Amino acid sequence: MRGKFITFEGGEGTGKSTQISLLANHLKDLGHDVIVTREPGGTAGAEAVRHILLSGTAEQFGSDMEAILFAAARADHVDQIIAPALDDGKYVLCDRFFDSTRAYQGASGNVPFETLHALEQAACGEHWPDLTLILDLSSKESIARANKRRGDAEADRFERESIKQQELRRRAFLDIAKQAPERCAVIDAAGSIEEISAAIWREVDLRLIKPQNLPNKPSQLKEKLKRINKNVRN
């Protein structure tokens, strides 16, 4: 039986790593096999590409080249790590995937969607996320958190960019969620770690653990999730 593929998206400093770790532990406690990975990275080749991208070495060649490098790393990642784990029935939790390329190189780098989509098809093949959790936080707060987390270390290629660029990406992630509500869930990342973790588990439980409770049409799914979240808040 095929495993489940969950991706975590969002701006800098939104707490993805912390929440991935908490979800992984929760799933393991329930008896599931879990693989935690990241992009760019996950394999030796992809980690080498990660260094090139985050150091800013590829920046001079433009967003198109960055998108191609991300796709090359992703293809290796899918082939070597993600696909085998899913074939083994494991849960795969990935810190960033193609939605980050859409937001970073697409929305704020102006790479055409047609180009990004072609790269996604080539890199992912048949292995697409079952659920994408988008951690949403104001750009000002996300950068403040990223700076605090980094301490005295040097900011990477994307952390160095302006609040305006960060806001463009935030809006891009929210637009992605609106366009694909059957796959994406927006999580308010402004709360406590425990509150965010609880919200994430509600989505995982509803969409992947108990999928028989969901309607088939995306519009109906969106309305049902709104009602559930409203009831939780109340």
Side-chain angles (χ1 to χ4, degrees), residues 35-88:
I35 294 291
V36 173
T37 188
R38 68 178 183 177
E39 287 213 346
T43 67
E47 289 290 339
V49 175
R50 179 186 181 89
H51 174 73
I52 293 171
L53 287 162
L54 297 190
S55 68
T57 302
E59 186 177 3
Q60 62 182 311
F61 301 109
S63 296
D64 292 82
M65 180 57 70
E66 285 186 331
I68 291 169
L69 288 171
F70 273 113
R74 184 167 301 126
D76 188 50
H77 190 198
V78 169
D79 184 59
Q80 299 296 323
I81 301 295
I82 295 172
L86 293 175
D87 290 342
D88 286 343

Short mmCIF file of all heavy atoms in Angstrom, two decimals, residues 35-88:
data_model
loop_
_atom_site.label_atom_id
_atom_site.label_comp_id
_atom_site.label_asym_id
_atom_site.label_seq_id
_atom_site.Cartn_x
_atom_site.Cartn_y
_atom_site.Cartn_z
N ILE A 35 9.62 9.02 7.17
CA ILE A 35 10.87 9.57 6.65
C ILE A 35 10.75 11.09 6.66
O ILE A 35 9.78 11.65 6.16
CB ILE A 35 11.12 9.10 5.21
CG1 ILE A 35 11.35 7.60 5.15
CG2 ILE A 35 12.30 9.85 4.59
CD1 ILE A 35 12.65 7.15 5.77
N VAL A 36 11.75 11.77 7.24
CA VAL A 36 11.79 13.23 7.25
C VAL A 36 12.92 13.68 6.32
O VAL A 36 14.05 13.20 6.43
CB VAL A 36 12.02 13.78 8.67
CG1 VAL A 36 12.24 15.29 8.63
CG2 VAL A 36 10.83 13.45 9.57
N THR A 37 12.59 14.59 5.41
CA THR A 37 13.58 15.04 4.46
C THR A 37 13.36 16.53 4.16
O THR A 37 12.50 17.16 4.76
CB THR A 37 13.54 14.18 3.17
OG1 THR A 37 14.64 14.51 2.33
CG2 THR A 37 12.22 14.33 2.45
N ARG A 38 14.15 17.08 3.25
CA ARG A 38 14.05 18.52 2.98
C ARG A 38 14.46 18.83 1.55
O ARG A 38 15.10 18.02 0.87
CB ARG A 38 14.94 19.30 3.93
CG ARG A 38 16.44 19.08 3.69
CD ARG A 38 17.28 19.92 4.63
NE ARG A 38 18.72 19.77 4.37
CZ ARG A 38 19.67 20.44 5.01
NH1 ARG A 38 19.33 21.31 5.95
NH2 ARG A 38 20.95 20.27 4.73
N GLU A 39 14.06 20.04 1.10
CA GLU A 39 14.49 20.54 -0.19
C GLU A 39 15.01 21.97 -0.04
O GLU A 39 14.45 22.74 0.76
CB GLU A 39 13.32 20.51 -1.18
CG GLU A 39 12.98 19.12 -1.65
CD GLU A 39 12.47 19.11 -3.09
OE1 GLU A 39 12.13 20.19 -3.63
OE2 GLU A 39 12.41 18.02 -3.66
N PRO A 40 16.00 22.32 -0.86
CA PRO A 40 16.78 21.36 -1.66
C PRO A 40 17.63 20.51 -0.74
O PRO A 40 18.13 20.99 0.27
CB PRO A 40 17.62 22.27 -2.55
CG PRO A 40 17.77 23.53 -1.77
CD PRO A 40 16.49 23.70 -1.01
N GLY A 41 17.77 19.27 -1.08
CA GLY A 41 18.55 18.35 -0.25
C GLY A 41 17.96 16.97 -0.25
O GLY A 41 17.19 16.60 -1.12
N GLY A 42 18.34 16.19 0.74
CA GLY A 42 17.82 14.83 0.89
C GLY A 42 18.75 13.75 0.38
O GLY A 42 18.75 12.64 0.87
N THR A 43 19.53 14.08 -0.65
CA THR A 43 20.53 13.15 -1.18
C THR A 43 21.86 13.90 -1.29
O THR A 43 21.90 15.13 -1.21
CB THR A 43 20.13 12.64 -2.58
OG1 THR A 43 20.18 13.74 -3.51
CG2 THR A 43 18.74 12.02 -2.58
N ALA A 44 22.94 13.16 -1.51
CA ALA A 44 24.25 13.80 -1.61
C ALA A 44 24.29 14.82 -2.74
O ALA A 44 24.77 15.95 -2.58
CB ALA A 44 25.33 12.74 -1.81
N GLY A 45 23.76 14.43 -3.90
CA GLY A 45 23.75 15.34 -5.04
C GLY A 45 22.89 16.56 -4.80
O GLY A 45 23.27 17.69 -5.12
N ALA A 46 21.71 16.34 -4.21
CA ALA A 46 20.80 17.46 -3.95
C ALA A 46 21.34 18.39 -2.88
O ALA A 46 21.12 19.60 -2.92
CB ALA A 46 19.43 16.92 -3.55
N GLU A 47 22.06 17.84 -1.89
CA GLU A 47 22.67 18.68 -0.86
C GLU A 47 23.76 19.57 -1.46
O GLU A 47 23.96 20.71 -1.03
CB GLU A 47 23.25 17.82 0.26
CG GLU A 47 22.21 17.14 1.15
CD GLU A 47 21.44 18.12 2.04
OE1 GLU A 47 21.95 19.23 2.28
OE2 GLU A 47 20.33 17.76 2.48
N ALA A 48 24.48 19.06 -2.45
CA ALA A 48 25.48 19.87 -3.14
C ALA A 48 24.81 21.04 -3.87
O ALA A 48 25.30 22.18 -3.84
CB ALA A 48 26.27 19.01 -4.12
N VAL A 49 23.67 20.75 -4.51
CA VAL A 49 22.91 21.80 -5.18
C VAL A 49 22.39 22.80 -4.16
O VAL A 49 22.35 24.01 -4.41
CB VAL A 49 21.76 21.20 -6.01
CG1 VAL A 49 20.91 22.31 -6.62
CG2 VAL A 49 22.31 20.30 -7.11
N ARG A 50 21.98 22.31 -3.00
CA ARG A 50 21.50 23.19 -1.93
C ARG A 50 22.55 24.23 -1.57
O ARG A 50 22.24 25.42 -1.42
CB ARG A 50 21.14 22.35 -0.69
CG ARG A 50 20.65 23.18 0.50
CD ARG A 50 20.46 22.30 1.75
NE ARG A 50 19.96 23.09 2.87
CZ ARG A 50 18.69 23.31 3.13
NH1 ARG A 50 17.76 22.80 2.34
NH2 ARG A 50 18.32 24.05 4.16
N HIS A 51 23.78 23.79 -1.44
CA HIS A 51 24.85 24.72 -1.09
C HIS A 51 25.01 25.80 -2.16
O HIS A 51 25.17 26.99 -1.84
CB HIS A 51 26.16 23.97 -0.92
CG HIS A 51 27.35 24.86 -0.70
ND1 HIS A 51 27.56 25.54 0.49
CD2 HIS A 51 28.36 25.23 -1.54
CE1 HIS A 51 28.65 26.27 0.38
NE2 HIS A 51 29.15 26.10 -0.82
N ILE A 52 24.93 25.40 -3.42
CA ILE A 52 25.06 26.36 -4.52
C ILE A 52 23.94 27.39 -4.48
O ILE A 52 24.15 28.59 -4.63
CB ILE A 52 25.06 25.62 -5.87
CG1 ILE A 52 26.32 24.76 -6.01
CG2 ILE A 52 24.94 26.60 -7.04
CD1 ILE A 52 26.31 23.83 -7.20
N LEU A 53 22.71 26.91 -4.23
CA LEU A 53 21.54 27.78 -4.25
C LEU A 53 21.52 28.72 -3.04
O LEU A 53 21.32 29.93 -3.18
CB LEU A 53 20.27 26.95 -4.30
CG LEU A 53 19.98 26.27 -5.64
CD1 LEU A 53 18.96 25.15 -5.48
CD2 LEU A 53 19.48 27.30 -6.65
N LEU A 54 21.69 28.18 -1.85
CA LEU A 54 21.56 29.00 -0.65
C LEU A 54 22.74 29.94 -0.44
O LEU A 54 22.61 30.97 0.22
CB LEU A 54 21.36 28.11 0.58
CG LEU A 54 20.10 27.25 0.60
CD1 LEU A 54 19.91 26.61 1.97
CD2 LEU A 54 18.86 28.05 0.22
N SER A 55 23.89 29.61 -1.02
CA SER A 55 25.04 30.49 -0.90
C SER A 55 24.90 31.72 -1.79
O SER A 55 25.60 32.72 -1.60
CB SER A 55 26.32 29.74 -1.28
OG SER A 55 26.32 29.43 -2.67
N GLY A 56 23.99 31.61 -2.78
CA GLY A 56 23.81 32.73 -3.70
C GLY A 56 24.67 32.64 -4.95
O GLY A 56 24.63 33.52 -5.81
N THR A 57 25.42 31.54 -5.09
CA THR A 57 26.30 31.39 -6.25
C THR A 57 25.52 31.41 -7.56
O THR A 57 25.99 31.95 -8.57
CB THR A 57 27.09 30.07 -6.14
OG1 THR A 57 27.83 30.07 -4.93
CG2 THR A 57 28.03 29.89 -7.32
N ALA A 58 24.32 30.82 -7.55
CA ALA A 58 23.52 30.73 -8.78
C ALA A 58 22.70 31.98 -9.04
O ALA A 58 22.11 32.12 -10.12
CB ALA A 58 22.61 29.51 -8.72
N GLU A 59 22.65 32.91 -8.09
CA GLU A 59 21.79 34.08 -8.21
C GLU A 59 22.12 34.91 -9.44
O GLU A 59 21.22 35.46 -10.10
CB GLU A 59 21.89 34.93 -6.95
CG GLU A 59 20.93 36.11 -6.92
CD GLU A 59 21.02 36.88 -5.61
OE1 GLU A 59 21.87 36.55 -4.76
OE2 GLU A 59 20.23 37.83 -5.45
N GLN A 60 23.39 34.99 -9.77
CA GLN A 60 23.82 35.80 -10.91
C GLN A 60 23.27 35.29 -12.24
O GLN A 60 23.19 36.04 -13.22
CB GLN A 60 25.34 35.84 -10.97
CG GLN A 60 25.98 34.47 -11.17
CD GLN A 60 27.49 34.51 -11.16
OE1 GLN A 60 28.10 35.33 -11.86
NE2 GLN A 60 28.12 33.64 -10.38
N PHE A 61 22.87 34.03 -12.28
CA PHE A 61 22.35 33.44 -13.52
C PHE A 61 20.84 33.60 -13.66
O PHE A 61 20.26 33.20 -14.67
CB PHE A 61 22.73 31.96 -13.60
CG PHE A 61 24.21 31.73 -13.57
CD1 PHE A 61 24.81 31.17 -12.45
CD2 PHE A 61 25.01 32.09 -14.65
CE1 PHE A 61 26.18 30.97 -12.41
CE2 PHE A 61 26.38 31.89 -14.62
CZ PHE A 61 26.97 31.33 -13.48
N GLY A 62 20.19 34.16 -12.63
CA GLY A 62 18.77 34.45 -12.71
C GLY A 62 17.88 33.36 -12.16
O GLY A 62 18.31 32.23 -11.88
N SER A 63 16.60 33.71 -12.01
CA SER A 63 15.62 32.80 -11.41
C SER A 63 15.36 31.57 -12.26
O SER A 63 15.05 30.50 -11.73
CB SER A 63 14.31 33.54 -11.17
OG SER A 63 14.48 34.57 -10.22
N ASP A 64 15.48 31.71 -13.59
CA ASP A 64 15.28 30.54 -14.45
C ASP A 64 16.29 29.44 -14.14
O ASP A 64 15.93 28.26 -14.04
CB ASP A 64 15.39 30.95 -15.93
CG ASP A 64 14.25 31.83 -16.38
OD1 ASP A 64 14.32 33.06 -16.13
OD2 ASP A 64 13.29 31.31 -16.96
N MET A 65 17.56 29.84 -14.00
CA MET A 65 18.59 28.85 -13.68
C MET A 65 18.38 28.26 -12.29
O MET A 65 18.58 27.07 -12.08
CB MET A 65 19.98 29.48 -13.79
CG MET A 65 21.12 28.51 -13.48
SD MET A 65 21.09 27.03 -14.54
CE MET A 65 21.54 27.76 -16.12
N GLU A 66 17.97 29.11 -11.34
CA GLU A 66 17.68 28.59 -10.00
C GLU A 66 16.57 27.55 -10.06
O GLU A 66 16.65 26.49 -9.41
CB GLU A 66 17.28 29.73 -9.07
CG GLU A 66 18.43 30.60 -8.61
CD GLU A 66 18.02 31.62 -7.58
OE1 GLU A 66 16.85 32.05 -7.59
OE2 GLU A 66 18.87 31.99 -6.74
N ALA A 67 15.51 27.83 -10.82
CA ALA A 67 14.40 26.88 -10.94
C ALA A 67 14.87 25.56 -11.53
O ALA A 67 14.44 24.47 -11.11
CB ALA A 67 13.29 27.48 -11.79
N ILE A 68 15.75 25.63 -12.53
CA ILE A 68 16.27 24.41 -13.15
C ILE A 68 17.11 23.61 -12.16
O ILE A 68 17.00 22.38 -12.08
CB ILE A 68 17.11 24.77 -14.41
CG1 ILE A 68 16.18 25.31 -15.50
CG2 ILE A 68 17.89 23.56 -14.91
CD1 ILE A 68 16.91 25.94 -16.67
N LEU A 69 17.92 24.31 -11.37
CA LEU A 69 18.74 23.63 -10.36
C LEU A 69 17.87 22.98 -9.29
O LEU A 69 18.13 21.85 -8.85
CB LEU A 69 19.73 24.61 -9.74
CG LEU A 69 20.88 25.06 -10.63
CD1 LEU A 69 21.66 26.19 -9.97
CD2 LEU A 69 21.81 23.88 -10.94
N PHE A 70 16.83 23.70 -8.84
CA PHE A 70 15.90 23.10 -7.87
C PHE A 70 15.26 21.84 -8.45
O PHE A 70 15.11 20.84 -7.76
CB PHE A 70 14.80 24.11 -7.50
CG PHE A 70 15.17 25.02 -6.37
CD1 PHE A 70 15.34 26.37 -6.58
CD2 PHE A 70 15.32 24.53 -5.08
CE1 PHE A 70 15.67 27.24 -5.54
CE2 PHE A 70 15.66 25.37 -4.02
CZ PHE A 70 15.82 26.73 -4.25
N ALA A 71 14.87 21.90 -9.71
CA ALA A 71 14.22 20.75 -10.35
C ALA A 71 15.18 19.57 -10.47
O ALA A 71 14.79 18.40 -10.27
CB ALA A 71 13.69 21.14 -11.72
N ALA A 72 16.44 19.85 -10.78
CA ALA A 72 17.44 18.77 -10.88
C ALA A 72 17.64 18.11 -9.53
O ALA A 72 17.69 16.86 -9.43
CB ALA A 72 18.76 19.34 -11.39
N ALA A 73 17.74 18.92 -8.48
CA ALA A 73 17.88 18.37 -7.13
C ALA A 73 16.63 17.58 -6.75
O ALA A 73 16.71 16.51 -6.13
CB ALA A 73 18.12 19.49 -6.13
N ARG A 74 15.46 18.11 -7.14
CA ARG A 74 14.19 17.44 -6.81
C ARG A 74 14.07 16.08 -7.50
O ARG A 74 13.60 15.11 -6.90
CB ARG A 74 13.03 18.35 -7.21
CG ARG A 74 11.64 17.81 -6.85
CD ARG A 74 10.60 18.90 -6.98
NE ARG A 74 10.94 20.00 -6.10
CZ ARG A 74 11.06 21.27 -6.49
NH1 ARG A 74 10.86 21.61 -7.75
NH2 ARG A 74 11.41 22.20 -5.62
N ALA A 75 14.49 16.02 -8.75
CA ALA A 75 14.41 14.76 -9.48
C ALA A 75 15.23 13.67 -8.78
O ALA A 75 14.77 12.52 -8.64
CB ALA A 75 14.90 14.96 -10.92
N ASP A 76 16.43 14.03 -8.35
CA ASP A 76 17.28 13.07 -7.63
C ASP A 76 16.66 12.70 -6.29
O ASP A 76 16.67 11.53 -5.89
CB ASP A 76 18.67 13.68 -7.43
CG ASP A 76 19.67 12.68 -6.87
OD1 ASP A 76 19.78 11.58 -7.42
OD2 ASP A 76 20.34 13.01 -5.88
N HIS A 77 16.10 13.68 -5.62
CA HIS A 77 15.47 13.48 -4.33
C HIS A 77 14.28 12.52 -4.44
O HIS A 77 14.13 11.58 -3.65
CB HIS A 77 15.00 14.85 -3.81
CG HIS A 77 14.55 14.86 -2.39
ND1 HIS A 77 13.76 15.87 -1.87
CD2 HIS A 77 14.75 13.99 -1.36
CE1 HIS A 77 13.51 15.62 -0.61
NE2 HIS A 77 14.10 14.50 -0.28
N VAL A 78 13.43 12.76 -5.43
CA VAL A 78 12.26 11.90 -5.64
C VAL A 78 12.71 10.48 -5.97
O VAL A 78 12.20 9.50 -5.41
CB VAL A 78 11.37 12.46 -6.76
CG1 VAL A 78 10.30 11.44 -7.17
CG2 VAL A 78 10.69 13.76 -6.30
N ASP A 79 13.67 10.37 -6.87
CA ASP A 79 14.12 9.05 -7.33
C ASP A 79 14.79 8.25 -6.22
O ASP A 79 14.54 7.04 -6.08
CB ASP A 79 15.08 9.23 -8.51
CG ASP A 79 15.51 7.90 -9.09
OD1 ASP A 79 14.63 7.13 -9.52
OD2 ASP A 79 16.74 7.63 -9.12
N GLN A 80 15.61 8.90 -5.41
CA GLN A 80 16.42 8.20 -4.43
C GLN A 80 15.75 8.04 -3.06
O GLN A 80 16.00 7.05 -2.36
CB GLN A 80 17.77 8.93 -4.25
CG GLN A 80 18.59 9.01 -5.50
CD GLN A 80 19.04 7.64 -6.00
OE1 GLN A 80 19.35 6.75 -5.20
NE2 GLN A 80 19.05 7.46 -7.31
N ILE A 81 14.93 8.99 -2.67
CA ILE A 81 14.38 8.99 -1.31
C ILE A 81 12.85 8.87 -1.28
O ILE A 81 12.29 7.96 -0.66
CB ILE A 81 14.80 10.28 -0.56
CG1 ILE A 81 16.32 10.41 -0.50
CG2 ILE A 81 14.18 10.30 0.84
CD1 ILE A 81 17.01 9.34 0.31
N ILE A 82 12.18 9.80 -1.95
CA ILE A 82 10.72 9.90 -1.80
C ILE A 82 9.99 8.73 -2.41
O ILE A 82 9.16 8.09 -1.74
CB ILE A 82 10.24 11.24 -2.40
CG1 ILE A 82 10.81 12.41 -1.60
CG2 ILE A 82 8.70 11.30 -2.41
CD1 ILE A 82 10.55 13.78 -2.21
N ALA A 83 10.26 8.42 -3.66
CA ALA A 83 9.54 7.33 -4.32
C ALA A 83 9.73 5.98 -3.62
O ALA A 83 8.75 5.27 -3.37
CB ALA A 83 9.96 7.25 -5.79
N PRO A 84 10.97 5.59 -3.28
CA PRO A 84 11.14 4.31 -2.58
C PRO A 84 10.40 4.26 -1.24
O PRO A 84 9.84 3.22 -0.88
CB PRO A 84 12.66 4.20 -2.39
CG PRO A 84 13.23 5.03 -3.47
CD PRO A 84 12.28 6.18 -3.63
N ALA A 85 10.42 5.37 -0.50
CA ALA A 85 9.74 5.39 0.80
C ALA A 85 8.23 5.24 0.63
O ALA A 85 7.57 4.50 1.38
CB ALA A 85 10.07 6.68 1.54
N LEU A 86 7.67 5.93 -0.35
CA LEU A 86 6.23 5.80 -0.60
C LEU A 86 5.87 4.40 -1.06
O LEU A 86 4.84 3.85 -0.66
CB LEU A 86 5.79 6.84 -1.65
CG LEU A 86 5.86 8.31 -1.21
CD1 LEU A 86 5.53 9.22 -2.39
CD2 LEU A 86 4.92 8.57 -0.05
N ASP A 87 6.71 3.81 -1.89
CA ASP A 87 6.47 2.44 -2.35
C ASP A 87 6.51 1.45 -1.19
O ASP A 87 5.86 0.40 -1.24
CB ASP A 87 7.50 2.05 -3.41
CG ASP A 87 7.29 2.78 -4.73
OD1 ASP A 87 6.18 3.32 -4.93
OD2 ASP A 87 8.24 2.82 -5.54
N ASP A 88 7.27 1.80 -0.14
CA ASP A 88 7.36 0.94 1.05
C ASP A 88 6.24 1.22 2.05
O ASP A 88 6.23 0.63 3.14
CB ASP A 88 8.71 1.15 1.75
CG ASP A 88 9.86 0.49 1.00
OD1 ASP A 88 9.59 -0.38 0.15
OD2 ASP A 88 11.02 0.85 1.26
#
